[in-house]
Amino acid sequence: MLKRMYPKSTAALVGAAMMMCTSMVAQADLNEVLEKVPADSDMFVAVSNLAEMNAKIAKMAEQTGLADLSPEMLDVLGQFKMAAGLEAGVNDNGSMLFVINLPTEDNKDGDRAYWLLPVNDYDAFVTSMGGNANAAITQITLMDENDTYVKQIDGYAVMSSNRELVEAYKPGNMATKIKARIGKAGQKYVDSADVMFFIDAPRMAEEFGPMLIAEIQQELNRSMERSAPAEQIQQMQAGQLMLTSMLRVAEEDLDGLAVLAEIKDDGISFAQPTGFKAGSEASKILLGGKSNAASLLGKVPANPYLFAASVDLTTMDYLKLSDLMIETVGQANPMVAQMYEGTDAIIEQVEGQSVAMYVPDQMALVAGNFLNQVTVYKAKDADKLIAATKAYMSKLNGAEFNIMPGTEGDLNAPKMSFETEWNDKALELGDVDVAQYAFTMQMPPEMLQGNPMAMMMGSGYSGYMAAKGDYVVQTTTLDQALLSKVLENLDKNNGLGSESAIVNARKAYIPANSTLEGYVNLGGIADMANMFIPMMGMPPVQVPEALTPITIGVVVDENSSVSVSHLPADNVKFIVDAAKSVMMMQQQMMPGMQGPMGEPGQAPPAPFY
């Protein structure tokens, strides 16, 4: 459908610019170019100073080794101009704006996209592409296609294959309104961002949604006509229902959402602000207030980890959020609603939680136990939380659910079943009574094929659950030493959240007072992979001693939220170095094969060509 929204030359220009936009960097803020956004725009991409981009991108590429894999990153601006066919007159120190409007009833298939490119010599810009600089609007040849109209306004060339859009364009002075629509939580990130992608979510859902649903329905009808397998049709129907529910939420609850990017010397930061309509159901979930998430992460042990996160659920109505999610997903697949029936009693007792997924030991991996996880819950009443968990697991024991939507009541349909066990007093650690549980999920063999996660969960796991003060600890292994360490940390609060790597990352990249904070340890993931790699006849990955964790933090504030994530440069370098090592090994094993890096002594081919 998007292909019908703009013709070949515009699509080619979009492709080139989108690559550039993912790499744009500049010190200037976006507020000036946001003033150029027209009042009726449905979505747009805005970028800042083009000239400063090259130096910072080149520095990042050289610092991380990306330049060895993609030499064109040393001159992104030049590559963009060449790909777009821009020969003269472009103001490299200007900002750029790309706007897409949705099709209308009067113009369903015409081009609804247009550009604002900064120019410092409009005459040279137009004449280099065969246009007449003296005309109010002239036609130019862009990317070998003579279908683009252009006019000059305020130091910009306004370009589109739709002449009416070019004629009608005028700045909307939208900076303040756009920032208001994405909400208070994320507004400050506009000032430092290099790239901004904005979507008018309600209008997208209202106008674009029905067309998308209609296309899915047409494909569904075609599948029925050719007698496609029932499972495929049921999955498509479930997807259609899910999409319908999501579009309803977008139309009724959202105000605006955006993705902002900023490239720094030490990595790439992303912010995803979302504004909600005041009084909407979604806005009622966002309570705000002081968060205790950072302190909660100190409750889990500082062992080598894959992923760790903590969340303060007092800053949101978690029960309402859970019910909304189950209702939305359950409309597409009733099994979800059935499975989570009875969890309200658990959710009502949880004020916050921290979780750490640790690197499993090699013996556990060989035994098929991938899940080595500790969860610490801050409870309103710890004993009630354990009792509610026991009741829910008892309800699941022996339960069967039809997996495919639309098969309710079909005794022959594929089923998911559960087996659980619970022992109230399996251990005593000091004055703490420890319960032991076992959980197994059985799925049809055909659904396990090619699904590692299902295979992992299907093997089941056992763990401990214990209450101490206001906290409840849950493990997914029968590791008594680990459990003892967690219980000890509850008082000392000197666990993973107090480790220097996480403390430094939190200070540098996690927003203050985050409702949720999360960390991905790429080094830990590589350590786990190294337990398997030698079995494939390959040397282990060389893991740097101190990789900065990948971070994410979520802030809630007055009908809005913002998710802020950071990909550190040392992680990018680690990935690039690992990729180079694999490529070199492939070339050594098969000397005659030319890999992605080209022949020895040659630069790899640029992806533009």
Side-chain angles (χ1 to χ4, degrees):
M1 178 179 294
L2 285 175
K3 290 181 180 179
R4 297 201 302 266
M5 294 176 66
Y6 40 82
K8 181 179 177 181
S9 64
T10 308
L13 190 55
V14 171
M18 285 304 177
M19 190 286 300
M20 183 174 70
C21 290
T22 61
S23 309
M24 289 288 183
V25 292
Q27 290 301 316
D29 65 46
L30 290 170
N31 289 285
E32 181 180 351
V33 72
L34 291 184
E35 292 291 282
K36 307 298 183 185
V37 174
D40 62 348
S41 63
D42 297 319
M43 55 182 169
F44 64 81
V45 177
V47 300
S48 291
N49 190 297
L50 302 180
E52 294 183 10
M53 166 186 73
N54 271 352
K56 291 190 176 183
I57 295 268
K59 183 177 180 179
M60 175 68 73
E62 290 176 344
Q63 175 186 350
T64 60
L66 279 170
D68 296 331
L69 301 179
S70 299
E72 72 279 358
M73 293 188 71
L74 296 175
D75 186 14
V76 173
L77 181 57
Q79 292 286 337
F80 163 68
K81 290 163 74 173
M82 180 171 60
L86 305 174
E87 299 180 5
V90 176
N91 177 13
D92 291 350
N93 290 304
S95 302
M96 184 172 67
L97 181 67
F98 172 59
V99 179
I100 297 179
N101 284 335
L102 295 174
T104 64
E105 287 298 323
D106 297 332
N107 188 0
K108 291 185 178 180
D109 298 322
D111 186 10
R112 304 294 298 164
Y114 55 99
W115 290 85
L116 270 72
L117 290 176
V119 292
N120 52 17
D121 189 337
Y122 181 74
D123 289 2
F125 177 81
V126 170
T127 56
S128 68
M129 291 180 283
N132 179 5
N134 295 319
I137 295 178
T138 186
Q139 194 168 11
I140 60 175
T141 300
L142 186 67
M143 297 296 293
D144 298 325
E145 292 287 327
N146 187 27
D147 69 347
T148 304
Y149 297 91
V150 60
K151 75 175 181 180
Q152 183 181 20
I153 184 170
D154 297 334
Y156 287 89
V158 183
M159 304 195 307
S160 175
S161 66
N162 186 331
R163 184 184 178 98
E164 292 180 0
L165 286 180
V166 176
E167 290 177 342
Y169 168 78
K170 62 180 181 179
N173 301 317
M174 293 292 289
T176 300
K177 292 180 181 179
I178 289 168
K179 292 171 78 171
R181 293 196 65 182
I182 63 175
K184 182 178 178 181
Q187 288 177 4
K188 69 177 183 179
Y189 296 96
V190 175
D191 297 335
S192 61
D194 308 306
V195 184
M196 179 177 188
F197 174 51
F198 174 85
I199 300 177
D200 185 334
R203 176 160 160 73
M204 285 286 289
E206 179 184 0
E207 299 293 336
F208 195 57
M211 290 187 288
L212 187 57
I213 294 295
E215 289 202 359
I216 294 176
Q217 184 61 52
Q218 290 176 8
E219 181 59 34
L220 183 59
N221 293 340
R222 286 191 288 267
S223 297
M224 292 179 176
E225 290 172 1
R226 61 175 180 261
S227 300
E231 292 83 0
Q232 179 182 336
I233 292 175
Q234 289 159 357
Q235 287 177 342
M236 291 180 65
Q237 290 172 330
Q240 185 181 38
L241 287 171
M242 171 75 77
L243 180 59
T244 301
S245 298
M246 293 173 64
L247 289 170
R248 176 185 56 78
V249 172
E251 184 175 349
E252 296 178 0
D253 292 11
L254 296 187
D255 194 1
L257 57 88
V259 177
L260 300 147
E262 179 183 6
I263 297 183
K264 309 172 183 178
D265 288 344
D266 59 357
I268 310 171
S269 291
F270 299 92
Q272 297 88 41
T274 304
F276 297 90
K277 296 176 181 175
S280 65
E281 288 302 309
S283 72
K284 296 174 184 176
I285 295 170
L286 310 176
L287 304 178
K290 182 175 175 54
S291 172
N292 194 39
S295 176
L296 284 170
L297 197 59
K299 306 294 182 183
V300 295
N303 294 351
Y305 71 100
L306 306 173
F307 172 77
S310 59
V311 58
D312 188 334
L313 297 175
T314 65
T315 61
M316 66 179 75
D317 189 334
Y318 186 46
L319 184 59
K320 183 182 288 292
L321 174 62
S322 176
D323 288 344
L324 179 62
M325 293 175 63
I326 293 172
E327 177 188 356
T328 301
V329 179
Q331 289 178 359
N333 191 343
M335 181 194 73
V336 175
Q338 295 170 10
M339 282 182 56
Y340 285 93
E341 184 178 337
T343 58
D344 283 3
I346 297 174
I347 293 171
E348 288 173 348
Q349 294 300 325
V350 179
E351 294 183 335
Q353 68 184 69
S354 57
V355 59
M357 184 178 294
Y358 297 111
V359 178
D361 62 57
Q362 195 152 11
M363 293 299 295
L365 285 175
V366 172
N369 189 358
F370 291 79
L371 193 61
N372 182 12
Q373 181 173 301
V374 167
T375 305
V376 174
Y377 300 94
K378 174 67 170 63
K380 294 177 182 176
D381 187 311
D383 292 331
K384 287 183 178 180
L385 176 55
I386 289 184
T389 303
K390 176 184 177 181
Y392 178 66
M393 294 194 72
S394 177
K395 172 182 173 294
L396 280 183
N397 188 34
E400 287 188 341
F401 303 99
N402 284 10
I403 296 175
M404 301 303 301
T407 63
E408 295 78 15
D410 184 351
L411 299 179
N412 298 318
K415 291 178 172 57
M416 177 190 298
S417 62
F418 296 90
E419 294 180 6
T420 65
E421 298 178 10
W422 187 280
N423 180 354
D424 280 316
K425 292 187 178 181
L427 295 174
E428 286 188 19
L429 295 177
D431 58 352
V432 177
D433 292 333
V434 179
Q436 180 177 325
Y437 71 92
F439 173 89
T440 305
M441 180 176 66
Q442 301 291 345
M443 298 182 69
E446 62 271 18
M447 299 197 69
L448 294 176
Q449 296 178 0
N451 190 338
M453 183 60 70
M455 293 176 67
M456 180 180 73
M457 296 298 293
S459 64
Y461 56 88
S462 300
Y464 296 121
M465 200 162 189
K468 184 178 179 182
D470 294 331
Y471 296 94
V472 171
V473 176
Q474 183 178 13
T475 71
T476 60
T477 64
L478 298 178
D479 186 338
Q480 294 184 30
L482 177 61
L483 175 63
S484 298
K485 193 172 183 179
V486 182
L487 292 172
E488 183 179 337
N489 274 349
L490 295 180
D491 297 324
K492 296 182 178 180
N493 207 43
N494 63 349
L496 197 57
S498 63
E499 285 286 282
S500 59
I502 286 183
V503 170
N504 293 337
R506 178 187 293 127
K507 183 178 180 180
Y509 311 122
I510 299 288
N513 199 45
S514 285
T515 287
L516 177 148
E517 60 178 56
Y519 305 86
V520 177
N521 180 14
L522 205 57
I525 295 172
D527 286 338
M528 186 173 75
N530 279 338
M531 299 179 189
F532 295 98
I533 289 176
M535 300 178 189
M536 296 181 249
M538 299 177 65
V541 176
Q542 299 300 310
V543 183
E545 288 188 8
L547 279 176
T548 307
I550 301 169
T551 60
I552 181 171
V554 178
V555 173
V556 172
D557 193 357
E558 291 185 19
N559 299 323
S560 66
S561 67
V562 61
S563 170
V564 181
S565 54
H566 184 78
L567 176 61
D570 61 357
N571 281 240
V572 179
K573 177 172 172 50
F574 169 59
I575 294 171
V576 170
D577 288 346
K580 289 180 182 177
S581 177
V582 171
M583 292 174 187
M584 186 175 299
M585 187 175 304
Q586 287 177 339
Q587 290 181 349
Q588 291 173 349
M589 295 172 64
M590 293 175 281
M593 184 184 74
Q594 179 176 337
M597 293 186 69
E599 295 288 358
Q602 293 181 349
F608 278 108
Y609 311 113

